[in-house]
Amino acid sequence: MKKNLFTRGATGAIVASVIATTAAVEAHATDLTLCWAAWDPANSLIELSKDFELQSGHTMSFEFVPWTSFADRMLNELNSSGQLCDLMIGDSQWIGGGAENGHYVKLNDFFDANGITMDDFLPATVTGYSEWPKNTPNYYALPAFADVVGWTYRKDWFERPELQTEFMDTYGRKLDVPASLEELKDIAEFFQGRDIDGTTVYGAAIYTERGSEGVTMGVTNALYNYGFQYENPDKPYDLEGFVNSEGAVAGLELYKELYDIGTPPGSSNWYMSENIDAYRSGQVALQMNFAFIWPGVEADETVGGGNTGYFPNPAGPAGQFAQLGGQGISVVSYSDKQDAALEYIKWFAQPEVQQQWWNLGGAPALRAVVEADDFAASQPYAQAFLDSMAIVKDFWAEPAYADLLIATQERMHNYVIAGEGTAKEALDGLVRDWTEVFEDEGKL
Amino acid sequence: MPLSPMDTAAAKTPVGMAKRIRGLSDRTIAWIFVAPTIFLLLAVNIFPLIWTIRLSFTNFRVNRPNKDVDWVGLSNYKRILSDPDVWNTMQATAHFLIWTIALQVLIGFALAFLINKKFRGNDMWTTIIVFPMMLSPAVVGNFWTFLYQPQIGLFNYVVAFFTGADPASFSMIGDVHLAPWAIVIADTWMWTPFVMLICLAGLRSIPDSIYEAAECDRASKWRQFWTLTIPMALPFLMLAVLFRGIENFKMFDLVVQLTGGGPGNTTTLTSIDLKREAFEKWRTGYSSAYAVILFVTVFGLASIYVKALNKVKER
């Protein structure tokens, strides 16, 4: 009888403690929604986040939107103070609007309280993804995905002796990774319309897309390297002579020439996915694209496994720069689950999580990972990624970035693809458009 | 004598309620029935319209909730009407409208005329012809981008077959001269069946006796077509033009999928431009004025057209 009473008591205690624990976990557990673009790295993040779910007891939901409608959908969400997203991996250009319009939570105090320092991250990513105003210690995001425009090329084609000989005869140099954008243009021209193994191939797949940001993300890689600057370094928003400098005109002309003589027919509206398709299907010798695609290229049966080489955007007369991509992760100020969202950021900032992020196909910006001795040799594209991240420049991140971007898309597409007017007229027009935007904003 | 259903319902009505209803006039009862619909209409259509008109006189931007909203008078309207880019999009829209309507009416009527004849497999052909309009415009836009691909596109190969040109030598959606026609062709392919169906209804509404009378008067087929078929089918044709005109004035999805408004601004129609202003640049006040201008344009043109349509019907 005593034993029976003891057993009953023990069982009751166990049941009570289980109920209490479950209740405590349930009270603590939160379902967090993370919003990002629908692309390969997002799948890696789902995988990575399983570890967070195990550790924290929270559950993660994901809202991924294709790149071409990502900005429309997510900026709509933020502008309407929507509560769909607790965490937002927003584009780098949104940081100004996110901060000034109160969409993102300022993270300085949180970083200080949890020992997270921005010195641990690649400086370009901190400036590009986290700071507003730029170059001030006001942080609204943690660098989440480091990305940059770079190039892939068909190494197996480049190594063919007959092509090597012909290229040497035509251009007087070895068919190899181009040292300049001029050389890249020559290579694209060389491959344009060439017959390789019974198939007609073309030079390069470059960004030409009209609807979102494509042609801008492409053309800037030529503009930067020929002397284009967004503004007078000594006088903010002073554009004349910087946006439309002689160098900038030459850079824009080069991009148009590359489009005219070295790209596949019909590539007038191509962005990331079209370029990937063209490259993987063996249509082009060179591909401009963000580095996020490189793990997928390497794993591809046809073009991967040593058939592809990777290199940073080649230099121009004014230096070597590349268009920054990538995003930071922010806590949405309209979320009522901010504590759990901050927990996620704290977890994500850990070096072992960042290392795992790289292993799964993500692109960390934590210096402990990317500056480790074995990083450059860890993947065939790792060195090109590091070299590219060292030369980045980004588009405007002003709250009015969308107005600035749309004007750029229009001017660049009109000149490069539609062939309307001259490069000088296109850039002069861009100065007028941007000036009008800054006047509307009260900054001029 | 058995009670009618109405009498049965009346008998079942509680006495109290019956007395209350009996006190209401027919007009009041009518209002009770109509009120929910009117309320819904006001909430969903009229209120947003009035709100849009109000916003069109301000510099409001929905993405700047912290910024002061100023009354700017007619400034938005002046900016829009004096902006050459807006007039370019109007021109692109007019080109698209005129050519799609002309081609769709011409081909749609011809198809309806053929389908109206009794022949074997008539129903099967009708179903096949109607198939494109059952698809989503976004899907149509997407697959026409493949059809127009210079290297693999069927369209280029068909043109090449007849002209002897290299299929890769021209790009329908990448060339400023061809892109406006690329969207006209895709839209015509999709919506000609709709015009055909309306024309078919018109043709089938013409009584056979009229043609029999014309035969007795020894009128030739050609004369019957111009003096009987066309005038009697004209109201239906005009209705088809009205529907397609309104639809194509606000065309968005098919063109965005096909060309994204490019190359340059060649195929940027007013609806695409408006969407960019409203939901990409977030110039809410400006885009509200733009929307009001488009609304007045469509509403005005449609009103004039409907009056003309009624006159044709009365003849």
Side-chain angles (χ1 to χ4, degrees), chain B residues 111-180:
Chain B
L111 284 173
F113 199 71
L114 290 175
I115 290 290
N116 197 34
K117 307 285 174 199
K118 301 281 179 287
F119 63 90
R120 199 180 155 93
N122 182 300
D123 291 344
M124 185 193 75
W125 281 109
T126 309
T127 310
I128 290 172
I129 291 169
V130 164
F131 178 71
M133 62 176 271
M134 296 177 189
L135 299 171
S136 148
V139 172
V140 172
N142 229 338
F143 82 66
W144 271 92
T145 56
F146 291 109
L147 292 178
Y148 285 141
Q149 269 296 319
Q151 297 140 65
I152 54 162
L154 188 63
F155 184 88
N156 280 38
Y157 274 90
V158 170
V159 173
F161 179 78
F162 287 110
T163 62
D166 177 7
S169 66
F170 64 99
S171 168
M172 286 299 291
I173 53 180
D175 186 298
V176 282
H177 304 295
L178 298 178

Side-chain angles (χ1 to χ4, degrees), chain A residues 72 210 283 410 413-414 441, chain B residues 64 151 264-265 275 280:
Chain A
D72 277 5
R210 171 72 180 86
Q283 280 187 65
E410 190 174 328
H413 211 266
N414 268 334
E441 290 290 298
Chain B
R64 308 287 164 77
Q151 297 140 65
N265 273 342
K275 185 258 180 183
E280 290 179 22

Side-chain angles (χ1 to χ4, degrees), chain A residues 184-262:
Chain A
L184 184 140
K185 192 186 74 186
D186 291 343
I187 294 171
E189 186 182 29
F190 176 74
F191 278 101
Q192 185 76 356
R194 183 165 291 275
D195 189 293
I196 290 187
D197 301 334
T199 306
T200 304
V201 305
Y202 301 94
I206 63 173
Y207 289 163
T208 57
E209 186 251 8
R210 171 72 180 86
S212 59
E213 58 174 19
V215 71
T216 304
M217 293 295 111
V219 82
T220 47
N221 292 284
L223 291 175
Y224 297 152
N225 295 352
Y226 276 76
F228 166 96
Q229 285 180 286
Y230 283 102
E231 58 190 336
N232 181 345
D234 301 321
K235 191 179 170 194
Y237 309 114
D238 176 20
L239 312 175
E240 186 63 44
F242 295 89
V243 170
N244 54 353
S245 62
E246 275 182 31
V249 171
L252 185 53
E253 284 171 346
L254 177 123
Y255 199 79
K256 175 163 176 55
E257 212 179 330
L258 177 60
Y259 172 72
D260 287 341
I261 66 169

Side-chain angles (χ1 to χ4, degrees), chain A residues 72 75-76 79 100-101 202 210 264-266 268-269 283 399-400 402-403 406 410 413-414 417-418 436 440-441, chain B residues 61-64 66-67 79 85 150-151 168 171 173-174 176 259-260 263-265 275-276 279-283:
Chain A
D72 277 5
L75 290 177
N76 229 331
N79 289 330
E100 288 197 12
N101 299 323
Y202 301 94
R210 171 72 180 86
S268 57
N269 197 23
Q283 280 187 65
D403 303 49
I406 288 170
E410 190 174 328
H413 211 266
N414 268 334
I417 315 301
E436 194 184 332
D440 280 355
E441 290 290 298
Chain B
R61 299 179 69 128
V62 77
N63 66 337
R64 308 287 164 77
N66 306 327
K67 206 174 169 183
R79 276 176 83 173
D85 289 341
Q151 297 140 65
S171 168
I173 53 180
V176 282
T259 64
N265 273 342
K275 185 258 180 183
R276 281 187 188 144
F279 300 111
E280 290 179 22
K281 294 184 181 178
W282 301 100
R283 298 161 77 181

Side-chain angles (χ1 to χ4, degrees), chain B residues 7 15 21 123 131 140-141 180 195 207 211 253:
Chain B
D7 291 336
V15 179
I21 292 174
D123 291 344
F131 178 71
V140 172
V195 177
Y211 287 108
D253 33 16

Side-chain angles (χ1 to χ4, degrees), chain A residues 290-341:
Chain A
F290 283 108
F292 83 88
I293 66 146
W294 292 353
V297 169
E298 199 51 37
D300 189 88
E301 281 179 11
T302 315
V303 298
N307 286 335
T308 288
Y310 309 85
F311 62 91
N313 189 42
Q320 186 176 15
F321 303 98
Q323 175 59 47
L324 180 71
Q327 304 85 34
I329 182 166
S330 301
V331 175
V332 176
S333 61
Y334 314 112
S335 162
D336 52 11
K337 302 168 190 167
Q338 289 183 16
D339 289 342

